[in-house]
Amino acid sequence: MSDHEDEEPSDAAAETLEALSKFSTHIGRRWRDLYGLLDLIDNELFDIEGRLHDLGEKSRQEFGEVPALIQHDVGHLPLFEAAMVSHAATHLAGSSWGTAVPEHSRYLFAGLSTRAISTVREIAILLDHGYALGAKSRWRTLSEILVVARVIAQGDRFTATRYREHRWIILAMERARTGPTEWSGDLPTPEVMKRRLVRRFGPEYAGLYGWAARVTSRRLGVTKPGWQHLQQLARVDEHAGRVQDAHHAVHGADAFGLLGTIDFSSGYFHAGASPQGILDVARDTTRLFRQTLSAVFDICLKYTSARKPQILQGVVEAHLLNLERDLGWRILSTNAEARDRYSATIDDWLN
């Protein structure tokens, strides 16, 4: 038996470090021309490109093994279950609204619920593979859907129409920034559509959030709304911390974003999987998803007393709330710091 048979097989990262170390030493011995380094490397890379390809495939296979390791550390994550039940419920509701619900409201119900469910599945995949920071970044999308849905639900039967058609305003804005390009298709250009829509809905419609101008004017006295006005209407203060976390997770220029690449136990930077924060992100995602879908249902429920959509909304609400509570208790059972915060909160409430 050789001395190496009992050794653990090397992982892709270690093998890549060894391969690049040897290659850089090889280049260092051959580099003579001060300005010819890139040409030299390009010529010599040919000899190791096959090896790098194999290491990439090995890394991909290791990536596929991570979910089992994460599940071993944190247990089952119910986000795919949450997404699947919600997908079925919204699909059934979509065929049950009836003609009392305006067409554009039904369109937004289908579109916004689909986007929310897709986002939760993205978060689930990231959490399964140990990327809590990347999963947090997707809260930004969920929270924005929540705000939009709550504002639309507060509007009249034409608010959904204004929101849907506002894509032409956004397209015209983007073309104004980047320079107009050739427009193909049967529809008029965004610039023409913008002029038509502004004549139809008023000059305030040309703003970035002009679709909500009538709602903010009536409820806040604001005719040119910004995002902060929509947030005020939607009453999403409880999610301010989550949204801020999402901003930090998104921006590469944000120094706080570095914290997501540091292992808390060792203090080392890492670019791979970690079980830290997984349960917390899963619980907060479930809560945000529950509130978002409830708001999306409200876009249409205001127009109908049909029983089936109300029942389906109740099923989604109750199921997601149960999942959220279960995740919360699991966090308390495994995290001493979370238990201390919970006990302090209960004591303050009782006192």
Side-chain angles (χ1 to χ4, degrees), residues 152-186:
I152 292 173
Q154 293 177 39
D156 56 31
R157 64 188 299 108
F158 301 109
T159 304
T161 303
R162 295 189 192 99
Y163 178 81
R164 182 178 180 182
E165 297 300 329
H166 200 260
R167 67 190 186 278
W168 293 107
I169 305 297
I170 302 301
L171 277 173
M173 287 180 175
E174 291 178 353
R175 283 162 61 88
R177 285 195 297 267
T178 61
T181 56
E182 183 179 352
W183 182 257
S184 60
D186 298 330

Side-chain angles (χ1 to χ4, degrees), residues 231-232 235-241:
Q231 289 178 305
Q232 183 180 347
R235 298 182 179 180
V236 290
D237 290 349
E238 73 160 289
H239 296 300

Side-chain angles (χ1 to χ4, degrees), residues 78 279-280 282-284 286 320-335 338-339 341-342:
L279 283 176
D280 297 80
R283 178 203 56 197
D284 289 353
T286 306
L320 294 182
L321 183 58
N322 286 337
L323 296 182
E324 177 190 335
R325 287 171 173 166
D326 179 63
L327 286 166
W329 286 117
R330 285 168 60 187
I331 291 170
L332 289 178
S333 68
T334 57
N335 188 319
R339 283 198 301 275
R341 288 199 305 268
Y342 177 77

Side-chain angles (χ1 to χ4, degrees), residues 262-274:
I262 298 176
D263 184 271
F264 291 161
S265 60
S266 67
Y268 291 132
F269 287 108
H270 70 91
S274 171

Side-chain angles (χ1 to χ4, degrees), residues 74-200:
V74 304
H76 169 71
L77 297 177
L79 291 184
F80 278 108
E81 174 187 341
M84 194 68 259
V85 171
S86 302
H87 193 186
T90 53
H91 178 78
L92 291 171
S95 60
S96 305
W97 289 120
T99 57
V101 179
E103 175 188 354
H104 286 173
S105 296
R106 283 181 273 138
Y107 175 87
L108 292 191
F109 172 81
L112 293 177
S113 63
T114 299
R115 183 77 191 279
I117 291 165
S118 174
T119 302
V120 166
R121 284 179 169 146
E122 293 172 20
I123 291 173
I125 290 172
L126 288 166
L127 291 181
D128 274 353
H129 286 85
Y131 289 98
L133 185 69
K136 278 185 180 182
S137 71
R138 307 303 293 129
W139 285 347
R140 188 169 176 174
T141 299
L142 272 183
S143 66
E144 290 180 5
I145 296 172
L146 171 62
V147 170
V148 166
R150 284 183 172 174
V151 172
I152 292 173
Q154 293 177 39
D156 56 31
R157 64 188 299 108
F158 301 109
T159 304
T161 303
R162 295 189 192 99
Y163 178 81
R164 182 178 180 182
E165 297 300 329
H166 200 260
R167 67 190 186 278
W168 293 107
I169 305 297
I170 302 301
L171 277 173
M173 287 180 175
E174 291 178 353
R175 283 162 61 88
R177 285 195 297 267
T178 61
T181 56
E182 183 179 352
W183 182 257
S184 60
D186 298 330
L187 293 174
T189 66
E191 291 75 19
V192 170
M193 291 297 295
K194 177 182 177 179
R195 288 194 294 271
R196 292 179 181 178
L197 290 166
V198 169
R199 282 199 303 268
R200 178 182 177 186

Side-chain angles (χ1 to χ4, degrees), residues 10 12-13 41 46 53 89 95 120 162 166 169 188 218 233 239 246 251 260 262 280 285 305 309 316:
S10 176
I41 291 174
F46 179 80
H53 172 79
S95 60
V120 166
R162 295 189 192 99
H166 200 260
I169 305 297
R218 186 174 71 253
L233 278 181
H239 296 300
H251 295 302
I262 298 176
D280 297 80
T285 297
S305 58
V316 170

Side-chain angles (χ1 to χ4, degrees), residues 254-318:
D254 191 333
F256 276 106
L258 286 176
L259 297 179
T261 58
I262 298 176
D263 184 271
F264 291 161
S265 60
S266 67
Y268 291 132
F269 287 108
H270 70 91
S274 171
Q276 63 194 28
I278 296 294
L279 283 176
D280 297 80
V281 175
R283 178 203 56 197
D284 289 353
T285 297
T286 306
R287 180 174 183 80
L288 186 53
F289 183 46
R290 174 173 60 82
Q291 295 184 3
T292 300
L293 283 186
S294 180
V296 172
F297 266 97
D298 287 343
I299 291 174
C300 295
L301 281 173
K302 62 185 290 185
Y303 298 109
T304 180
S305 58
R307 292 168 58 84
K308 188 170 184 178
Q310 294 181 58
I311 293 171
L312 290 167
Q313 184 195 32
V315 170
V316 170
E317 179 82 16

Side-chain angles (χ1 to χ4, degrees), residues 203-205 207-210 212-214 216-217 221-230:
E204 66 277 6
Y205 191 72
L208 185 59
Y209 301 106
R214 293 194 183 183
T216 59
S217 177
V222 175
T223 56
K224 294 182 179 179
W227 183 248
Q228 72 275 18
H229 299 113
L230 272 60

